[in-house]
Amino acid sequence: MRMKDRTAIVTGAASGIGKEIARAFAREGAKVCIADLALGAAKAAASEIERQGASAMAIAMDVTDEKQVEAGVAKVIENYGSVDVLVSNAGIQHIAPIVELSLENWRKVLAIHLDGGFLTTRACLRHMVKSGRGGTILYMGSVHSKEASPLKGPYVAAKHGLLGLCRVVAKEGAKHGVRSNLIAPGFVRTPLVEKQIPEQAKELGISEEEVIRNVMLKETVDGEFTTTADLAETAVFLASFPSNALTGQSIVVSHGWHMQ
Ligand code: NAD
């Protein structure tokens, strides 16, 4: 029970990596809020956790909408009394070469990752400072916080940006007992990745099998996908780490794709 008596908000937790992190936090004793655009799926994920005897709630939240973020965080505090951990995880991908990328799609990707990261951080950090309880803020970065790939201009820019935000939060948060770290996964077979396999195949003129073998997993040490369980374990480790020794850091979880 590494997270007993802690309350966590995980954005984008109705699916994929965030959903697994919410489940792992609950298993470790945390009360969990699943904040997502997709309210139906968020409610289903929260009910599943509750059936296993833990406490969970679902909130409809578009992380790019200031009012929804403020109201959502306030509701969690009203229900559970505090927010001790934020995982800023909601995200999307958009596949296109820069010469064909519209300003609208550039802005959409940046808004979800960066505006979303900022707005959720600000709302939770204000509470963590004011309550005097401190806390932990985790960002779902990517190997693309450190490396570039073609066809992913806004995503790579946004994920690099999140690393900068994480480091500022580590410096500003320290005196208030707030730590901040970033998790940088390699490819994980969630809906976000399933969608881009055919899109990349089309753009690159290769088969879907080749996208998996020669694009996604080529640089790993063993040709394997990272799993949602790998990332949930990393998130629990970072969220329950007991001192400021680990803050402003990024942990790459990618089967050796990127070594830092
Ligand atoms: P996913 O598509 O399974 O889940 C993303 C969730 O975010 C969905 O539930 C979706 O409804 C939600 N979401 C999207 N826009 C939102 C918004 N504006 N407000 C609130 N919620 C919103 O994807 P995933 O693979 O689990 O991705 C989660 C995070 O992990 C993302 O930030 C992604 O960039 C990052 N990531 C994923 C991979 C991978 O290979 N899957 C690798 C590195 C990083």
Side-chain angles (χ1 to χ4, degrees):
M1 296 297 247
R2 287 174 284 178
M3 294 182 66
K4 197 167 173 317
D5 300 327
R6 312 275 290 281
T7 296
I9 297 179
V10 186
T11 69
S15 173
I17 296 168
K19 187 173 177 184
E20 194 68 41
I21 290 175
R23 283 205 286 240
F25 281 4
R27 272 198 306 276
E28 296 289 342
K31 297 187 277 278
V32 186
C33 169
I34 294 177
D36 204 292
L37 262 187
L39 183 59
K43 280 185 174 162
S47 304
E48 198 185 309
I49 289 173
E50 294 230 294
R51 277 199 299 277
Q52 281 156 14
S55 187
M57 64 189 279
I59 277 186
M61 182 192 286
D62 177 347
V63 294
T64 68
D65 183 313
E66 188 172 11
K67 284 205 177 76
Q68 285 187 29
V69 171
E70 292 290 325
V73 171
K75 195 163 172 201
V76 174
I77 294 164
E78 190 188 311
N79 255 28
Y80 290 146
S82 72
V83 177
D84 305 301
V85 179
L86 163 68
V87 184
S88 171
N89 166 81
I92 58 163
Q93 179 59 276
H94 181 77
I95 300 296
I98 287 172
V99 289
E100 286 167 22
L101 184 65
S102 66
L103 180 59
E104 190 190 356
N105 282 326
W106 165 266
R107 284 187 173 146
K108 185 172 174 200
V109 176
L110 260 67
I112 293 173
H113 294 272
L114 287 180
D115 295 0
F118 161 65
L119 290 171
T120 52
T121 294
R122 191 182 62 182
C124 292
L125 189 55
R126 280 177 175 163
H127 166 76
M128 288 169 180
V129 169
K130 197 168 147 210
S131 69
R133 287 169 63 97
T136 300
I137 298 182
L138 300 180
Y139 297 94
M140 195 53 63
S142 165
V143 165
H144 287 115
S145 299
K146 317 234 164 204
E147 297 233 6
S149 292
L151 308 177
K152 296 186 175 176
Y155 187 84
V156 171
K159 291 301 193 189
H160 275 66
L162 278 180
L163 185 52
L165 178 62
C166 168
R167 288 169 169 162
V168 173
V169 172
K171 295 205 170 191
E172 291 187 4
K175 61 178 176 292
H176 304 288
V178 177
R179 292 189 274 280
S180 166
N181 289 292
L182 178 138
I183 301 171
F187 282 98
V188 188
R189 286 201 89 153
T190 63
L192 180 142
V193 160
E194 296 298 345
K195 178 171 174 287
Q196 70 176 271
I197 294 172
E199 289 172 357
Q200 289 222 47
K202 191 167 164 234
E203 284 289 345
L204 297 170
I206 58 177
S207 70
E208 294 188 14
E209 184 49 46
E210 284 170 319
V211 170
I212 292 171
R213 206 177 46 245
N214 299 337
V215 177
M216 295 183 162
L217 303 179
K218 184 163 180 249
E219 303 294 338
T220 62
V221 295
D222 52 11
E224 285 189 27
F225 279 99
T226 299
T227 66
T228 55
D230 295 327
L231 299 166
E233 183 57 32
T234 309
V236 169
F237 165 71
L238 287 172
S240 60
F241 195 80
S243 80
N244 280 343
L246 263 184
T247 193
Q249 303 304 306
S250 49
I251 297 195
V252 181
V253 189
S254 70
H255 284 255
W257 165 15
H258 179 85
M259 298 190 187
Q260 53 181 1

